[in-house]
Amino acid sequence: MSNVQQYLLTVDGDKEKAQSLAQDTARGLESKKLTLIEAVQSLGEYINDDDATIRARVIDYLSQVIGQLSPTFLSRQQIQVLCQFLCDRIEDGGAVGGLRKLQALGRFNKDMAAMTFRAMLEHFQDLQIRPQAQRLQILELLNDLMSKHRSALKELGNESIVGITDLVSGEKDPRDLMVIFSILRVVMVEWDISGHAETLFDAVFCYFPITFRPPPDDPYGITAQDLKSRLRDCIAASGYFAPYAFPQLIDKLDSTSPNVKKDVLQTITACASSYGITTVSNYSVTLWESLKFEVLNVQEEELAQEALVSLQAIAIRLGRGLDSTDPKTPLARYLRPITKECNEQLQLPQHKQAKPAGQILSALGQASSVTFFLVVKAVVPGLMTLFQDADDTAKRRALLEVLVQILDSAIAVYGTSSVPAPTTEVENPLNPFKDRLFELSSQALMSSAADEVSFRVVALGALLRLCLLRRYLQDNEIGMAVQYFNETVLAEDPSGNDDLKREAIQALIELSRIKPNLIMEITFPAFMAKLPDASPSDDRDYLTTLEGLAQLSVERHVADTLIRRLLNRLDVVLKTQGPSAYPRAILSTLQHVLGQRDLHLDPNLSSYHERIVVGLTSRVALASAGQAPVTVLNEEPTLEILGRLATMIVRALDEHKQRSVALQVYSLFVDEANFVPVLFRDNAPKLQMSTLILSTSLMAGVRQSVSVQFTDSGTGSIEKTLAELVRLASQEDVPPVRQAILRQIGLFTNKFLSAQETDAVVGMLDDLVLGLSEAAGAPENAARVVFWVAKGLILRLARTDEILERLLNLLAVRECGIASARGFGLLVAPDEVLSRENGAKIRLLVKQKVFNICVPKIALEFRTADSATKSNYLTALSGILKHMPAEVVMPEIDRILPLLLQSLDLEDSDVKAATIQTLTVVSQENPKTVEGHVGSLVNRLLKCVRYPEVNSANVRHNALRCLRIFPGRVKDSTLLPYKNTVTRGLLNVLDDPKRNVRKEAVECRAAWFNMDEPQSD
Amino acid sequence: MAEILNANPTIRNASDLPSRRRQGHTQPSSKTPKGLFSGTVPPSAYLSDPFSPSSLSDSELSDDDNAEIEPIDEQEIYDLISPISDPEHPLTLGSLSVVNLPDIFLTPTFPERGSSSPLTTLTVLITPTITHCSLATVIGLGVRVRLEQALPPRFRVDVRIKEGTHSTADQVNRQLGDKERVAAALENGTLMGVLRKMLEGCESRAV
Amino acid sequence: MPSASSLPQISHLATLEPSSPSRAWLTAPHPTLPLLATCSSDKTVRIYSLTTFTLLSTITGGHKRSIRTCAWKPNLKGESVLATGSFDASVGIWRHYDNDMNPKPKDVLSGLDFDARDKAIADGGMGENGNADEDEDEEWRFAIVLDGHESEVKSVAWSAGGNLLATCSRDKSVWVWEEVGEDDYETVAVMQEHEGDVKCVAWHPGEELLASASYDDDVRLWREDVDDWGCCGVLRGHGSTVWCVGWEGEVPRVFGDVEVGREDMRGKWVERREGSGSRLMSCSDDLSIRVWRRRPKERVQQSRLSIIRSGSSEENWVEEVQLPKVHSRPIYAVAWSKSGRVVSTGGDGIVAVYEERWRKAGGDAESKDTKALEDGVDRSKVNGDSKTDGAEGMEGVTTGAGSTSENNGQQEKQAETEEVPEATEWVVIAQLEGAHGVFEVNHVAWAPRRDKNGGSNLEHEELIITTGDDGTVKVWSLDV
């Protein structure tokens, strides 16, 4: 049986087999076992079979064979024959495929291409009635010819234009259209279409605007945007289209659909950018006339922007390669009506359309230096007079805003002194106005009433831009501006509004990039001079000054000077009496500035160490021992800030230096004669106890490899020290000091404790837990110690399971249950001292692990727990969840949600707050999970907003935020039954004594109100 | 595009609209330096101690929690209604000066009874952008709906057109004052659609 | 004014549970059974027991928007029929067979055990906010919808006989429907003289005379002349929307004793009252409550002229008096009790009860009342003209309807004041603030007391039923 026959039999059942048959024949031909003639003859009678499918398969077979042949095998004649053969039978399925293969061959020539093309036109008049798959194949053949044999088709000239447009007309399928658009675009761009512009235009424009919505899971992945941009390329392809394109596009601007309008505007932009200058020029004014409405009567901000882009595109096109400001150029003609219109709008500067007018001018101004020149010449003089004559501030501000917009385009055209723009021949048309601009903006900023904030803000913006504009102001003028900015920052400001100050600081920062010297010479002294030498009693102006200085110290040497000056100033201040706020602020500033830089590489590091760590610390110690005057440094809050500063510096020290620090952790760089460390002493005075805050900070900065030692009583053993710290912690009642001691405990158990020492400490923990569970009276301190020891160990995942096990058991104990429950909130809570950057050992999986161990146990115990201790489990849970990432909580959410709901019934505001926080996250991350519980959730949250009751303002506020999350996230059908309950339940909160609670309540109600009832009418 | 009744109204700069901040209501918190350093300087370390319940952990709110009462004042009313957007411009009633702080009045409904009666009458006078603005009723309705949804029921809300700013002020006032009509209007789907669009601006970014 | 000691108290007897989740508009007491129907913006009507003060059943479905109003059809046995009017512009007629185990109306009045029948009516309607369940649907059948109004229906009312139903709407029209057969109603009149929403309609207790109150500040009277319904009087005087109108019972009652020496005055008053029949009371957004009286025509003349004179049905109504001013927000409802007392309420949440008393000599009455009465007298005299001359009479209608022509006034004043002296005065006898907390009160009605703990003479004690924006219905007793 011949290959053909077998092919016919197998092709249905087994494609591969069929393939191989074709291949076999191909090999036959190549190895000359049989000739092409034989191969074709072998098709025999099938070729004329009445059954179309048989014919199709035979042709298909042939095409397969051709496809299998090596590209160079067939001779021109053979191709010629086959091409003829297939063209005759082009309507039989497979022929098109065959031709696609043929035309890919090197020896396929112009005439064959033409023949194929003609055959297509002749046989596929009825293209649209054929199935899409076939249409696509035909179009792809055409596309192939277009790309490989373009000249052939091009030579057919009009015949091909008409032919193609007829062939593709009426197509609807997006896949086909993608091909058609690209074919047509080639014709539009490369053929001479002068005689057929309208035909071609209509052929594509009939699809405008594209309203195609791809099916949900569209396998071809063709988006509306793909079609839109290809269609747009066609419409913009040739200037010949202008007479049809622009009028019709302008019509379509009246569409009510924002999407259509957007498409139209972008198409206009595309046309304006690609059509020839003369063409665009012919329509430029008409386009302006209709585009202006989109901007002036802005409905959708986005559309206004698009329209501005279109207007700009026209200006760019008309201005391309143009460097003459001659008023007779197309560009000038285009701009004239625009500047006229804008000038009119600017007569009423505080009316709605003035702002858009400014945007138009700015957008055009940026188009090119020439447009900028023309715009400025046409607008700025009038603007100046208007400004001079303007009587009220609102008007002046509006005008100034327009000026600012123009200055923006100036910067776009000429750049700043740091980022220059491409050079241009056209001189900056603003030059003649330089002095007046500088003067009027300076005056507006400095000489108008202090409470005219918004006006002065605009003025400041104008002044800054003048400074930034390249090759505009002289340095001395910029210097003046800098002075103005300084004064603005430092001036008293009655209107409790700091917008202006903030803007001024920002301006100075911007200038410090391009003119650091000016900042150093002018701003810096001015600011320093403003800092008082002694704590002022009430006013807190120094804060603004300090903030300013801190922000300005980006430049390294600026910062260096600042740090030095501040330290000196601190010494002076400490010599005086007065509130501690000021020295604290100075320390905070230092912390900020030092925090900004990489201390490891800082050459001054050692001096910081000397002055701050050693200097101030020892000073505190001495004072506490009565060896020096007590200052605000000895107050706990100050100590904490100083401590943070110390930690930061110590961290940066090299190992060697750190060792010396480690030795001084408790002696604080003072010899025993003058200060005795407080450890292993009974009832050291309060003042000295508070130095432990610094000890903690130093210890925190020391890296783990440097073991901490103690000057006194040479006891190296950590356990001993730990025991001592535990003793101190349990009897300490000054919160900050106690916290410092507890953190030391944490640092020891987590950071400095060696693996082999842990067992001993765990044993110690056992005793502590035991003591706690038996403790009578207030167990808080005992609990604190237990949980800090535990925290240190758990974070490094040392014997976590058994430790947690013990802690969980505490929940069942009446006396210490609640205290312990609260402790769970501590375990994985972030801590500024026990942190990674301080070298604490915090394993990645800690949170996950704590969660996995505790939550199931809590959920379980809770059921059996007696009423007295039930709440302990809920408290513990909320504490754990408080610091759990959502991805850890989510998988377990179904199990814990019921508990969370119940914990909302507790009195404890903290627990409620934490729980609500969790619920909020849950409902945000994964609303599905709460869907089943909406009912009880709603009712409980409504309880949490009641006032006056146990709910803190914070709880009320967060409960409302949580409630507000549901609409939009949870299905309406689930929520609607509760709509009324919620909106009514919130009635009273609308009268809450706290403003921000009321605000939240209003928003929450609005969210629920806006859920639509299924409207029956 | 629909015929615009007033294409070019005067607009006020957002930063010039009355706000609580502008009235100098801010007193610097004494606990920690404000502004820049609030970041660098966390509130004193021991403030977050889980063992002392209801500690001052929630910084922003509960320091003076439940202590000081902040009564609903004219500014708050203004903040409720000024962000409502005009039905024909993407601008707020505040920036169009349709609603103005001085045109908001809170008075006890029964002055003679003093504090014994919680009822408070709120009068809001709105100023249409042009004297023949046929949208005045819709705007007024928007204001009234917003207030009825946002204020506790002890408030009696009267929304009226400001004297001499509108040609048919009386009809509009009658309609806005008619409880029955307002109630019915709120059940009218199409009208509600318009109102919702106007009120969208009021809700701050969804949480 | 009564002395502080004898001042009656309005005391809270019960709040009907469970209440509507949203604004309730109006509560209609059943003409015979101890039932209340409350219509709510949640598109339902709740039926409460006046014996147990609990929800018996809820009528749901049928209306697409707020149900604004409802009215019980009078004169029915064994069945209750309720008409509802909704913002969806339709009027619904609902039927409900009173169960066989119903006590006879007699028993009902004597207040014997109701719970059995309550249950029967309730039929599972006790469920929280009474979600419609099937058997309840069996109970209350949406018999027929009366379509015709173009916008919100605001009030419906059955004529005393029960054969006529009046409805009114924001479309400014008043419709009269006649029941021509089982669930078959026919429009007998569509009257559109009002120039604004028609807020309320109310039938005269005896005659087929309909009163309507409107957004156009007018009260209009309607009756059938020959076989055509038409406006037979316009009562002008209010300065703003008239929210509600209410009729006086057929038997008038004036409280207090007549002073010795003023008996003849009472005689004159009674005579005049007999001549004019039930008076009408109206309350308004203008914070006033006004009493209107008909100027009767000479019977002889009327009977003679009525054949030839077209529009002989025209009536002369005059404003007799304004009640003492109590309210400081719009007055939404006023009701006249069987015993002759009047109760009013409105947006200020105040409930006030008034009595008409025989005026003492020496004018201890508040000058305000006096002025009001004189005012009324003044007007009534003007209408005096009408009886002398038909043509004048025609004009009298319009003048009676408010546009007083002053010169006429002067001439006749003397005679008239002699004819009708200032016999009575209206006084506030009880006042209650915040009846529904801070919420507005939309409606007030009278109902006979029916609960067991009530006093000995149950049916004589009158209860006050208030309906508020908070969705609740409250029952108050007036301890005189």
Side-chain angles (χ1 to χ4, degrees), chain A residues 134-168:
Chain A
Q134 194 185 351
R135 296 209 305 276
L136 183 56
Q137 197 188 27
I138 294 162
L139 290 169
E140 273 164 349
L141 171 56
L142 180 55
N143 200 28
D144 294 339
L145 295 174
M146 213 43 166
S147 37
K148 292 199 88 252
H149 311 283
R150 187 169 300 176
S151 53
L153 303 194
K154 194 168 175 184
E155 282 164 15
L156 297 178
N158 294 350
E159 182 187 356
S160 57
I161 298 178
V162 179
I164 294 175
T165 40
D166 291 352
L167 185 68
V168 302

Side-chain angles (χ1 to χ4, degrees), chain A residues 609-895:
Chain A
H609 176 56
E610 279 315 310
R611 288 196 70 170
I612 300 171
V613 180
V614 179
L616 295 177
T617 309
S618 54
R619 180 171 182 158
V620 169
L622 285 168
S624 73
Q627 303 295 318
V630 173
T631 66
V632 290
L633 279 184
N634 293 79
E635 299 172 10
E636 286 93 6
T638 324
L639 285 171
E640 289 189 322
I641 301 173
L642 178 56
R644 294 196 181 99
L645 212 42
T647 310
M648 198 192 289
I649 295 166
V650 172
R651 264 205 312 257
L653 296 174
D654 58 46
E655 183 140 1
H656 169 68
K657 267 225 169 59
Q658 282 198 353
R659 280 223 169 64
S660 62
V661 174
L663 287 168
Q664 303 288 335
V665 161
Y666 290 102
S667 54
L668 303 174
F669 314 100
V670 179
D671 55 69
E672 196 135 354
N674 295 316
F675 174 75
V676 187
V678 294
L679 260 59
F680 304 103
R681 278 172 57 188
D682 277 333
N683 47 41
K686 189 174 163 307
L687 212 48
Q688 299 188 15
M689 285 304 288
S690 61
T691 60
L692 281 172
I693 295 176
L694 292 180
S695 308
T696 308
S697 314
L698 297 175
M699 199 183 288
V702 172
R703 59 176 71 93
Q704 174 256 343
S705 54
V706 178
S707 61
V708 181
Q709 303 161 32
F710 313 95
T711 47
D712 89 312
S713 63
T715 56
S717 126
I718 282 193
E719 289 130 69
K720 195 127 180 276
T721 325
L722 215 42
E724 170 64 359
L725 289 169
V726 169
R727 183 184 70 91
L728 294 174
S730 2
Q731 64 193 25
E732 182 57 57
D733 52 8
V734 181
V737 179
R738 181 177 58 214
Q739 185 76 0
I741 304 173
L742 290 166
R743 281 174 161 162
Q744 280 187 41
I745 295 176
L747 284 169
F748 274 118
T749 55
N750 175 275
K751 189 161 137 183
F752 298 113
L753 199 64
S754 67
Q756 49 275 35
E757 289 165 311
T758 46
D759 296 359
V761 175
V762 172
M764 175 178 167
L765 179 58
D766 290 347
D767 305 341
L768 289 167
V769 170
L770 192 62
L772 173 55
S773 53
E774 289 161 353
E780 271 69 23
N781 267 10
R784 286 192 174 93
V785 175
V786 165
F787 277 89
W788 269 98
V789 174
K791 182 182 173 76
L793 294 167
I794 289 173
L795 286 182
R796 66 195 283 185
L797 285 182
R799 324 238 324 238
T800 312
D801 306 64
E802 49 178 303
I803 295 177
L804 286 172
E805 183 73 25
R806 289 191 184 74
L807 298 181
L808 284 164
N809 293 334
L810 287 168
L811 295 175
V813 185
R814 248 166 237 272
E815 293 64 28
C816 66
I818 184 60
S820 316
R822 297 214 176 87
F824 282 85
L826 178 75
L827 293 178
V828 292
D831 183 77
E832 62 162 313
V833 168
L834 203 55
S835 67
R836 280 217 173 77
E837 58 177 353
N838 284 348
K841 299 194 192 110
I842 302 176
R843 302 298 197 76
L844 286 171
L845 292 177
V846 171
K847 291 185 173 183
Q848 182 77 61
K849 183 140 193 203
V850 171
F851 183 90
N852 293 346
I853 296 174
C854 296
V855 172
K857 185 116 193 294
I858 289 176
L860 186 70
E861 303 274 324
F862 177 77
R863 277 194 229 93
T864 55
D866 62 87
S867 55
T869 56
K870 259 189 177 337
S871 64
N872 298 349
Y873 292 90
L874 300 176
T875 309
L877 178 64
S878 78
I880 292 170
L881 293 181
K882 195 168 179 187
H883 306 288
M884 276 301 154
E887 59 272 24
V888 176
V889 180
M890 284 311 164
E892 284 297 308
I893 194 62
D894 289 326
R895 191 196 305 215

Side-chain angles (χ1 to χ4, degrees), chain A residues 267-325:
Chain A
T267 312
I268 289 181
T269 307
C271 296
S273 324
S274 62
Y275 291 175
I277 292 196
T278 7
T279 323
V280 174
S281 172
N282 291 339
Y283 295 90
S284 61
V285 176
T286 331
L287 284 165
W288 152 249
E289 286 302 332
S290 42
L291 285 172
K292 71 179 179 187
F293 291 107
E294 299 304 321
V295 188
L296 293 178
N297 305 327
V298 50
Q299 293 297 321
E300 307 262 348
E301 196 39 53
E302 190 191 6
L303 293 179
Q305 289 311 320
E306 288 293 349
L308 283 172
V309 175
S310 306
L311 288 171
Q312 195 180 40
I314 299 173
I316 294 175
R317 184 71 188 93
L318 296 180
R320 191 171 300 162
L322 182 73
D323 56 7
S324 133
T325 57

Side-chain angles (χ1 to χ4, degrees), chain C residues 95-248:
Chain C
R95 308 172 71 93
H96 172 281
Y97 293 116
D98 304 345
N99 199 293
D100 305 342
M101 52 209 295
N102 270 6
K104 308 278 154 293
K106 190 177 115 299
D107 306 339
V108 173
L109 287 176
S110 64
L112 296 177
D113 156 51
F114 298 102
D115 299 351
R117 201 219 46 262
D118 286 347
K119 287 230 167 18
I121 291 179
D123 190 35
M126 290 284 196
E128 268 279 348
N129 27 343
N131 306 332
D133 43 41
E134 314 72 44
D135 29 5
E136 190 180 292
D137 295 353
E138 294 163 20
E139 280 293 320
W140 280 100
R141 302 188 315 287
F142 197 12
I144 173 174
V145 197
L146 304 183
D147 283 319
H149 282 296
E150 290 165 11
S151 52
E152 300 93 80
V153 175
K154 304 207 162 174
S155 174
V156 298
W158 297 94
S159 65
N163 56 318
L164 295 178
L165 175 68
T167 64
C168 62
S169 154
R170 183 164 69 86
D171 64 15
K172 304 175 183 173
S173 69
V174 175
W175 292 45
V176 178
W177 313 73
E178 183 168 18
E179 184 172 22
V180 293
E182 166 98 10
D183 292 343
D184 183 7
Y185 289 78
E186 170 173 294
T187 315
V188 295
V190 176
M191 300 169 292
Q192 297 178 298
E193 281 84 342
H194 274 301
E195 287 155 13
D197 316 18
V198 189
K199 296 289 192 188
C200 176
V201 282
W203 289 96
H204 188 286
E207 313 165 22
E208 282 191 352
L209 173 62
L210 181 68
S212 63
S214 164
Y215 186 83
D216 66 11
D217 305 358
D218 293 345
V219 173
R220 281 178 181 269
L221 295 170
W222 317 85
R223 66 160 69 244
E224 191 170 23
D225 176 22
V226 193
D227 53 6
D228 221 3
W229 280 84
C231 179
C232 62
V234 185
L235 281 47
R236 293 219 165 94
H238 280 295
S240 184
T241 303
V242 187
W243 280 106
C244 174
V245 281
W247 289 94
E248 180 185 25

